[in-house]
Amino acid sequence: MAGASTTPDSPETHAATAEVRQTPDDRVRNEVVEAALGKLDLDTKARLLAGQDMWSLPALPGIGLQSLVMSDGPIGVRGVRWTADDPSVALPSPTALAATWDQDLARRAGRLLAQEARRKSVHVLLAPTVNLHRSPLGGRHFECYSEDPYLTGEIGTGYVQGVQDGGVGTTVKHFVANDAETDRFTVDNIITSRPLRELYLAPFEAIVKNAHPWGIMTAYNQVNGVTMTEHSHLHNEVLRAEWGFDGYVVSDWMAARSTTGDILGGVDVAMPGPQTVYGDALAGAVRAGEVDESVVDDAVRNVLRLAARVGILDGAPPVVAAPPATVDGQALAREVAHRAFVLVRNEPRDGAPVLPIDASRVRKVALIGGPARDARILGGGSATVFPERVVAPLDGLVAALPDGVLAYTVGADPSDELAPADKGFELHAVCRDASGTVIGARSLPSGQVQWIGDDLPDGVTHSTLHSVEVKGAFTPRDSGEHSFGTRGLGAFTLTVGDEVLYEGVQPMGDEADPFEAFFGSPAERGRVRLTAGEAVEVSLTHTVNPDAAGPLSALMFSFVHGAPRRDADELIAEAVEAARDADTAVVVVATTERVESEGFDRTDLSLPGRQDDLVRAVAAVNPNTVVVVNSGSPVEMPWREDVAAVLLGWFPGQEGGAALADVLLGVEEPGGRLPTTWPASLADAPVTEVAPTNGELHYAEGVFIGYRAWDRAGVAPAYPFGHGLGYTTWEYESLEATPAAVRVRVRNTGSRAGREVVQVYLAATADPVERPARWLAGFASVEAGPGEAVEVEIPLAVRAFEIWDEQADSWSFVPGTYEVRACHSLTDRRLTATLDIQA
């Protein structure tokens, strides 16, 4: 092995790059920051580093500093109030964005989110999430990009560039190794330095180097015995000194637990407020000699630099003086969705693939599945927003097909649990004080109340709020026995019509995570027989428990409902009859928020309910069965060889149904490639341990996660990393490789225009070190018309030929012979070339 090399990725080069990046405006901003810092006393500086509320830092008029506002927003900008009165454009999930394998599209998505942030007066977006898909059981993987650090870094770079192109800051999260949800507040992830560097830190490093993000968010977990908010080595030595990061570091919400530990560990801002470990406690630690004031100054400097960049510090020119051109949110959401759909199977029937469907010739299309009518467009937890509209698959296909062609049946519902009151409900929330006087109200698009911090209806405060009544009318879609209930903790009174269905208290269970506690299983409280089309008054009153106040003021509960339950076998039989004489049967299957959400990991990869039985039954009577999978991460598909086509739709965002119609009918090509490996079954997956033992979770697999682990295990998954079919065919004509770049020429050999993702993998021959069998080193999207050829050059980074040498504690270049593979997917190699590289 060669010694540590001096490469373009070295700390020295990073420092030089940071110096070169200085512009006249940068220098002005730095001068303004220093002048403002010099005017602040210790107490004011300490107060600036502590959130004043859920989403913001305090304004300091004396130095011309406005209040800095942050907001959740991986797929849509929530704003400081989670309300349908101010809806958000809802893009497809991050796994979907990564499935496009298109950094430019990620950048355009970022620009849209910056536009949304400006509209909502938000200065900093708490995104993107660039943790890895270490195991398919990770409950929050829909909010992350990929199992591969290179792909994650490239998509994250585009996203950050796009948001900051719009003058809005980003907060890349969760730094680092927050790759599962089980015991996430306390788990100690034990990771040796090589996988930590090569896998988990790599996306953060790439984004810092290539996108210059203005913020980083620390994770809840520990890494090798040190809580991440106190991890001085990773924050101060690696992130700042080695990589040259000059932004602010903010704690995840409620992650900051030690005044001296956090400030010395490199955390600039402790969120949320008003009660944090900073503020008065930090000023006191300085006066007690536990913290040097210069450390506080460094943190304040980082916050003021951020304020200057986003344009809220007087005298400092913002990085973006004028926002980019306006982006059409609906159009971009639709484009990202169809570009993200991954067609993993499309078998010929009668000489031609079943997809795309020829709308001019089709006589009948049977659309089947509960999620076809009530689509799940986004994942659960802090990524949730209220979309401005939702186009479900049923909506999209009704609009796209001629009248009379589409027939819809439920077939199977993915969940037998009650869900927040939605379709057919017109609800609003009424807030009262202890005397029963109304003190505020807010509309609700569903029965879900989630008011955190100061996000309360106008005129309402936590100190005066005594009860919240969710009330309105419900017009059922179906006749029969409807179920009603509650989700959340505390006292409830539930009334439907003139009947009180429940009056009682729901106590706390054994949930360890706040999201699981507040959004756990809904409880059925009663049933009422109703008639379709006949409205009935409904009411759920929740009495606030003043003694339940925790570190964060919050009110979270739901009014839940379930439609009449028909016999499952009867529903499947009805779907079978609809599919029997259809030209094509489209079955939509999905996960639920009890399967994929923030706050808990998955226990299996099965589709919930009777959905597998439904697919098998439909496929048995219709050879042209297409299955659309509505999930954010992998699920088992035991019927995949029995159907004609399988299309992975992820959580497709608000325009998902329109994009699905585009793809099914051939208006657009499914452009996605898998950003993560899909197992045939959980039993085959090489890495499945997500729950700690005695508080520790050992990343014993080292650098072998994702396809690296599948290669090592010698087991074939259902669908490999990078896989995805289109509606045309491609011939790879030539490959030229140098240590710096790969040049590939491809030709569209099909009858229609299309897009191909050219993937470049490296494989070392006679490897002197233990490495994966192959690894992604570059990729590029190309477009061409029928018969046209296109050539693309894909850079190769020096890092692709390096490993982290644990003995030398540095990157080491590995000379030798490398096979360069130009591929359609990991396992679909088209051309190869050999490189002999010396140190």
Side-chain angles (χ1 to χ4, degrees):
M1 180 187 299
S5 61
T6 301
T7 75
D9 293 319
S10 67
E12 294 80 5
T13 305
H14 275 301
T17 302
E19 194 67 33
V20 169
R21 264 199 304 258
Q22 288 286 319
T23 66
D25 279 353
D26 289 330
R27 287 189 284 273
V28 172
R29 279 190 289 272
N30 288 339
E31 291 169 0
V32 173
V33 164
E34 292 304 320
L37 177 61
K39 297 177 182 178
L40 301 179
D41 61 26
L42 174 60
D43 292 302
T44 305
K45 288 186 287 191
R47 180 163 57 89
L48 178 60
L49 304 181
Q52 68 174 350
D53 53 30
M54 185 66 184
W55 301 113
S56 70
L57 300 183
L60 300 178
I63 59 170
L65 176 66
Q66 300 173 40
S67 176
L68 183 119
V69 179
M70 298 165 265
S71 171
D72 276 318
I75 55 92
V77 183
R78 177 181 293 181
V80 298
R81 291 200 166 189
W82 196 61
T83 168
D85 295 335
D86 184 18
S88 309
V89 174
L91 292 172
S93 63
T95 44
L97 186 60
T100 69
W101 288 59
D102 191 324
Q103 188 184 78
D104 181 65
L105 187 60
R107 186 167 184 164
R108 291 167 56 206
R111 285 183 175 175
L112 170 63
L113 293 173
Q115 175 179 298
E116 284 282 280
R118 293 193 307 271
R119 181 176 66 82
K120 290 173 176 275
S121 299
V122 167
H123 305 117
V124 178
L125 208 55
L126 302 174
T129 303
V130 299
N131 301 113
L132 298 184
H133 297 174
R134 174 178 167 266
S135 164
L137 292 177
R140 203 174 178 180
H141 281 355
F142 61 86
E143 196 179 318
C144 311
Y145 291 129
S146 170
E147 67 188 29
D148 182 78
Y150 179 79
L151 177 59
T152 297
E154 289 293 290
I155 300 301
T157 290
Y159 181 103
V160 168
Q161 288 172 335
V163 174
Q164 294 183 176
D165 283 349
V168 174
T170 54
T171 311
V172 188
K173 63 186 187 183
H174 306 87
F175 192 75
V176 62
N178 181 188
D179 309 299
E181 293 294 279
T182 304
D183 294 345
R184 60 178 175 161
F185 291 93
T186 58
V187 61
D188 185 6
N189 294 324
I190 308 300
I191 316 170
T192 60
S193 62
R194 186 177 171 198
L196 184 62
R197 288 283 190 158
E198 294 184 18
L199 297 179
Y200 304 102
L201 287 172
F204 291 94
E205 181 182 8
I207 294 169
V208 168
K209 172 185 173 183
N210 298 317
H212 193 47
W214 300 343
I216 296 285
M217 180 188 290
T218 62
Y220 292 119
N221 52 275
Q222 301 176 58
V223 171
N224 298 329
V226 182
T227 299
M228 274 309 306
T229 53
E230 302 177 35
H231 217 304
S232 179
H233 169 63
L234 290 178
H235 291 148
N236 296 324
E237 297 174 27
V238 176
L239 176 63
R240 292 199 184 277
E242 183 180 329
W243 298 349
F245 175 71
D246 69 349
Y248 89 125
V249 174
V250 61
S251 72
D252 202 343
W253 267 228
M254 296 183 292
R257 304 158 200 164
S258 167
T259 300
T260 58
D262 290 344
I263 195 70
L264 296 176
V267 172
D268 300 317
V269 173
M271 290 296 290
Q275 300 299 320
T276 81
V277 295
Y278 286 175
D280 292 342
L282 180 56
V286 173
R287 292 189 174 100
E290 299 169 357
V291 176
D292 194 281
E293 189 169 353
S294 65
V295 177
V296 176
D297 288 346
D298 287 340
V300 172
R301 188 175 286 113
N302 293 329
V303 172
L304 292 176
R305 187 183 299 115
L306 172 64
R309 284 169 168 164
V310 301
I312 60 169
L313 180 62
D314 286 355
V319 172
V320 178
T326 301
V327 180
D328 184 329
Q330 291 184 5
L332 184 58
R334 186 169 180 168
E335 180 184 355
V336 174
H338 75 69
R339 289 278 306 283
F341 288 146
V342 182
L343 184 62
V344 294
R345 179 178 173 84
N346 193 20
E347 292 301 298
R349 294 290 191 267
D350 299 325
V354 67
L355 293 180
I357 299 167
D358 187 342
S360 67
R361 296 184 179 182
V362 70
R363 176 185 54 85
K364 178 183 176 182
V365 173
L367 179 63
I368 300 165
R373 181 175 66 177
D374 301 319
R376 189 175 182 205
I377 66 164
L378 42 75
S382 59
T384 306
V385 297
F386 286 121
E388 56 184 1
R389 70 173 194 168
V390 173
V391 182
L394 178 58
D395 303 323
L397 284 168
V398 164
L401 288 169
D403 290 344
V405 169
L406 189 70
Y408 172 72
T409 55
V410 173
D413 195 308
S415 175
D416 57 5
E417 288 188 339
L418 279 62
D422 185 6
K423 299 293 188 299
F425 287 86
E426 294 184 6
L427 300 172
H428 61 282
V430 178
C431 301
R432 296 181 173 88
D433 63 17
S435 69
T437 301
V438 174
I439 55 176
R442 178 177 291 181
S443 63
L444 292 176
S446 73
Q448 188 168 342
V449 172
Q450 184 175 313
W451 301 338
I452 303 175
D454 292 332
D455 180 13
L456 293 168
D458 291 340
V460 179
T461 65
H462 286 286
S463 62
T464 58
L465 182 61
H466 178 263
S467 68
V468 178
E469 182 183 12
V470 175
K471 63 183 300 186
F474 171 52
T475 305
R477 296 186 293 190
D478 305 300
S479 297
E481 194 173 53
H482 289 253
S483 302
F484 297 88
T486 64
R487 185 170 66 173
L489 308 176
F492 296 98
T493 301
L494 173 62
T495 303
V496 176
D498 296 326
E499 182 179 358
V500 176
L501 298 185
Y502 175 75
E503 189 167 11
V505 176
Q506 176 64 47
M508 180 75 172
D510 57 0
E511 301 91 346
D513 190 284
F515 274 97
E516 191 173 9
F518 285 110
F519 297 120
S521 298
E524 181 179 316
R525 304 301 189 183
R527 299 184 182 187
V528 178
R529 185 165 295 277
L530 301 174
T531 303
E534 295 184 6
V536 61
E537 292 185 358
V538 295
S539 169
L540 174 67
T541 299
H542 171 60
T543 303
V544 178
N545 180 4
D547 298 325
L552 184 63
S553 296
L555 189 67
M556 296 188 281
F557 69 94
S558 297
F559 176 20
V560 295
H561 164 261
R565 292 289 174 187
R566 294 177 55 195
D567 180 77
D569 290 332
E570 180 183 318
L571 287 174
I572 292 175
E574 186 178 86
V576 166
E577 289 309 306
R580 191 184 302 276
D581 65 342
D583 299 303
T584 305
V586 178
V587 184
V588 182
V589 297
T591 59
T592 69
E593 64 178 15
R594 295 296 297 147
V595 175
E596 294 182 87
S597 183
E598 179 177 352
F600 56 88
D601 290 311
R602 301 163 72 183
T603 57
D604 59 52
L605 302 182
S606 300
L607 285 168
R610 295 284 302 279
Q611 294 181 101
D612 286 336
D613 293 338
L614 171 66
V615 173
R616 291 190 186 97
V618 170
V621 300
N622 192 319
N624 294 328
T625 295
V626 178
V627 181
V628 179
V629 182
N630 181 192
S631 72
S633 49
V635 296
E636 293 176 356
M637 298 179 287
W639 33 258
R640 65 188 185 281
E641 300 294 334
D642 302 326
V643 300
V646 179
L647 184 67
L648 307 183
W650 313 106
F651 296 145
Q654 66 177 52
E655 306 297 319
L660 178 62
D662 290 340
V663 167
L664 292 178
L665 302 179
V667 176
E668 301 287 353
E669 183 180 38
R673 304 292 184 267
L674 285 181
T676 198
T677 306
W678 278 52
S681 71
L682 179 60
D684 296 335
V687 181
T688 57
E689 188 63 55
V690 293
T693 300
N694 297 324
E696 295 183 346
L697 180 61
H698 289 258
Y699 285 39
E701 68 282 350
V703 297
F704 297 95
I705 67 168
Y707 63 83
R708 296 163 166 83
W710 287 91
D711 279 346
R712 189 188 202 193
V715 178
Y719 300 109
F721 179 81
H723 175 62
L725 308 172
Y727 289 158
T728 188
T729 54
W730 297 88
E731 179 183 351
Y732 283 52
E733 295 185 335
S734 65
L735 166 65
E736 299 174 8
T738 71
V742 173
R743 184 173 291 275
V744 183
R745 180 181 176 87
V746 298
R747 185 178 300 276
N748 182 347
T749 54
S751 59
R752 58 175 285 164
R755 176 186 295 268
E756 173 71 340
V757 177
V758 179
Q759 303 167 36
V760 175
Y761 297 87
L762 295 179
T765 61
D767 205 343
V769 297
E770 184 183 37
R771 275 190 289 186
R774 49 196 163 177
W775 57 93
L776 181 69
F779 62 89
S781 294
V782 298
E783 297 182 35
E788 293 180 350
V790 62
E791 194 169 82
V792 63
E793 183 172 287
I794 302 172
L796 294 179
V798 174
R799 182 60 55 79
F801 302 95
E802 294 180 326
I803 69 164
W804 183 260
D805 185 335
E806 294 185 338
Q807 282 68 47
D809 198 34
S810 65
W811 290 102
S812 291
F813 184 83
V814 184
T817 301
Y818 290 84
E819 186 176 78
V820 181
R821 302 173 179 176
C823 301
H824 173 76
S825 74
L826 178 77
T827 59
D828 187 354
R829 186 192 322 179
R830 300 296 178 89
L831 295 173
T832 61
T834 300
L835 284 177
D836 290 313
I837 301 179
Q838 301 305 314

